[in-house]
Amino acid sequence: MTNMRIPRIPTLREINIREKRVFMRIDINVPIDPDKGEILDDRRIRVHSQTIKEIVEKYSPALVLGSHQGRPGEPDFITLERHAELLSKYTGYDIKFVNDVIGPTAREAIRKLKPGEILLLDNLRLVSEEVIEATPEKQSYTIFVRRLAPLFDAYVNDAFATAHRSQPSIVGFPLVLPSAAGPLFEKEIMALKRVVESFESPRIFVLGGTKVRDLLRVIENLVRNKMADRILTTGLLAQLFLVAKGIGLGKENMRFLEEKGILPLIPKARYVLLMGAPVETPIDFKVLIDGETRNVSIGEINGKIMDIGEQTTRIYSEFIKDAKIVVMRGPAGVIEDERFRNGTIKLLDAAYNSKAFVLIGGGHLSSMIDESKLNEHIHVSTGGNALLLFLSGETLPALKALELSAKMFLG
């Protein structure tokens, strides 16, 4: 179908972790209230808790968990003590916590850990090496890896959301320890394989949100690999393509696109259209005029664009209902305002009710999901940025490292 390649990734079925000492990279990096330092959304912690529980019940390893939280200097850069409490609550296990990462206190806690016990290290980015990007080979020589690796029998990566990073805890350990993808990581890979390697059609991509430059690269790659039958655009991406087609959006929206640095992307958008990209753009929008919402057709736009319009929502929903593969990334409107969530909710409803395999690409879109409507045909990715980079044709460092590890330790 495409030259996009998913390498062979070893799984837990291929390495021995039964009653072994295992370091597992997870991603419980969650939104934090900048004023109170409290966790605002613990969905990632809940999701990881399920697989941690499964691994301990099935293999009884001495399991050491590692995650980052925020970036140094940012308000969300905090200790993981509260994360450990929530992991204990959701797993039903007593998760030990150590306020250290590679120092003597952490190493002693790791050595003392017995099979069936779980330990969470503190925020991995307390170690300065963890914010530096480098090749797997270089990361395998960091003090981070050299201090901890001798204490473990195996390494597991269950943090697909960090797969686009090339940091020691993600790409260094696989080169020095037998390694595998964890259950969550494996589910993400299976979902990507379904999208990339299947011959099912029609294939619909619904792309929106604010990462316009990244989304243009995704569209280029989709066209190059003949992966999309239709690309339904929303948000700032849709506005960019409308301007590229010569359609006026009014002074207020043009000024906003200029402020966001999107107008210089117009030539690129035109080039993508000339490549034959099957891009669909909205025919109407919900706009805000003097504090009031109106539904207006393109060509007669006044006020600020806030969501896709009613007709566009109906047309896009029909495309989704008839599809066999649907990939959704980014909300259709300004979902922070309840008045402009309708487009996003209706498109998600179309996805829930379709018979297609649906991959929902993390990020802000995930916050709008009605979990009661999810079924076995829908995969909600935890890795918004990793997914974007993969779909734009980039090699994900975490996949490369696990592939190298398989060659080194599994033959």
Side-chain angles (χ1 to χ4, degrees):
M1 177 82 206
T2 152
N3 61 20
M4 290 172 71
R5 176 178 166 272
I6 297 177
R8 175 183 174 265
I9 301 297
T11 67
L12 288 177
R13 295 179 291 281
E14 296 171 76
I15 64 170
N16 178 20
I17 65 166
R18 187 171 302 283
E19 298 189 358
K20 303 290 186 183
R21 191 167 275 107
V22 176
F23 179 48
M24 184 160 85
R25 180 58 157 96
I26 60 175
D27 182 16
I28 49 175
N29 179 37
V30 292
I32 302 293
D33 184 315
D35 299 318
K36 299 177 183 176
E38 294 173 358
I39 293 172
L40 296 173
D41 179 2
D42 65 5
R43 182 179 180 274
R44 278 189 174 175
I45 297 174
R46 283 185 282 122
V47 169
H48 274 290
S49 294
Q50 293 173 343
T51 52
I52 290 165
K53 190 175 178 182
E54 287 169 18
I55 287 170
V56 173
E57 288 175 355
K58 188 170 183 179
Y59 301 105
S60 195
L63 186 62
V64 177
L65 305 172
S67 176
H68 71 285
Q69 171 62 57
R71 279 190 164 275
E74 299 294 330
D76 61 348
F77 184 63
I78 62 171
T79 177
L80 298 190
E81 194 165 2
R82 177 63 181 143
H83 299 60
E85 292 171 5
L86 289 171
L87 283 172
S88 295
K89 174 184 171 182
Y90 293 130
T91 61
Y93 284 92
D94 177 24
I95 308 279
K96 301 173 190 292
F97 174 75
V98 59
N99 58 353
D100 186 17
V101 180
I102 64 171
T105 309
R107 298 202 305 276
E108 184 62 21
I110 293 167
R111 287 191 193 97
K112 285 182 176 177
L113 204 65
K114 297 182 178 67
E117 293 182 337
I118 309 167
L119 170 71
L120 176 66
L121 301 178
D122 208 343
N123 191 337
L124 298 184
R125 287 182 176 170
L126 287 166
V127 179
S128 58
E129 289 175 320
E130 183 64 8
V131 295
I132 297 169
E133 303 267 338
T135 63
E137 290 78 10
K138 283 187 177 177
Q139 300 291 32
S140 70
Y141 288 108
T142 54
I143 292 171
F144 189 145
V145 173
R146 283 186 289 168
R147 282 261 176 93
L148 294 190
L151 304 176
F152 294 105
D153 302 302
Y155 167 83
V156 176
N157 189 338
D158 210 23
F160 179 78
T162 67
H164 60 301
R165 301 289 185 197
S166 192
Q167 296 161 341
S169 72
I170 299 157
V171 302
F173 286 96
L175 269 63
V176 296
L177 288 169
S179 301
L184 282 176
F185 200 114
E186 188 181 356
K187 280 180 190 171
E188 299 277 6
I189 296 301
M190 296 305 291
L192 283 179
K193 282 195 172 194
R194 179 82 183 265
V195 170
V196 169
E197 296 178 1
S198 85
F199 289 84
E200 297 166 275
S201 185
R203 307 160 67 82
I204 305 295
F205 287 75
V206 188
L207 303 179
T210 57
K211 296 189 174 177
V212 177
R213 192 179 299 272
D214 292 338
L215 290 170
L216 274 178
R217 289 172 57 212
V218 168
I219 292 171
E220 273 191 279
N221 196 51
L222 294 177
V223 174
R224 198 178 300 121
N225 287 287
K226 297 182 172 60
M227 279 186 63
D229 293 303
R230 282 286 184 278
I231 299 168
L232 313 182
T233 63
T234 67
L236 296 179
L237 182 69
Q239 293 180 48
L240 170 65
F241 276 110
L242 284 167
V243 174
K245 290 178 177 180
I247 294 167
L249 299 179
K251 289 180 182 178
E252 189 173 353
N253 295 304
M254 292 302 289
R255 189 164 54 246
F256 186 72
L257 292 177
E258 186 176 11
E259 287 169 4
K260 292 291 181 182
I262 289 170
L263 293 184
L265 299 176
I266 292 171
K268 182 84 160 178
R270 284 192 182 128
Y271 170 73
V272 166
L273 291 170
L274 288 169
M275 282 174 69
V279 168
E280 298 286 338
T281 47
I283 61 170
D284 61 343
F285 286 105
K286 285 271 179 67
V287 299
L288 192 59
I289 304 175
D290 298 327
E292 291 186 7
T293 65
R294 294 183 196 170
N295 198 93
V296 299
S297 299
I298 58 167
E300 49 189 57
I301 293 174
N302 287 311
K304 189 174 181 185
I305 293 170
M306 302 297 281
D307 195 5
I308 56 173
E310 292 166 6
Q311 284 182 279
T312 302
T313 300
R314 280 196 293 271
I315 293 166
Y316 281 13
S317 295
E318 289 301 318
F319 275 124
I320 291 168
K321 284 174 186 173
D322 292 337
K324 292 290 175 63
I325 298 279
V326 176
V327 178
M328 306 181 76
R329 166 68 194 183
V334 183
I335 58 172
E336 291 80 5
D337 188 326
E338 289 186 10
R339 295 172 294 175
F340 305 110
R341 293 178 177 177
N342 186 64
T344 302
I345 291 169
K346 288 286 173 64
L347 296 185
L348 282 169
D349 280 341
Y352 303 143
N353 296 320
S354 79
K355 292 179 181 173
F357 173 74
V358 181
L359 172 55
I360 298 174
H364 287 104
L365 186 58
S366 298
S367 67
M368 297 301 296
I369 289 169
D370 183 343
E371 293 190 15
S372 69
K373 294 181 180 179
L374 296 180
N375 57 57
E376 67 275 11
H377 300 297
I378 299 172
H379 176 78
V380 181
S381 177
T382 56
N385 289 332
L387 179 72
L388 261 184
L389 280 172
F390 178 81
L391 290 175
S392 64
E394 297 275 328
T395 299
L396 297 181
L399 272 66
K400 183 67 178 172
L402 287 172
E403 182 186 31
L404 288 170
S405 186
K407 290 174 182 174
M408 293 170 70
F409 294 99
L410 301 178

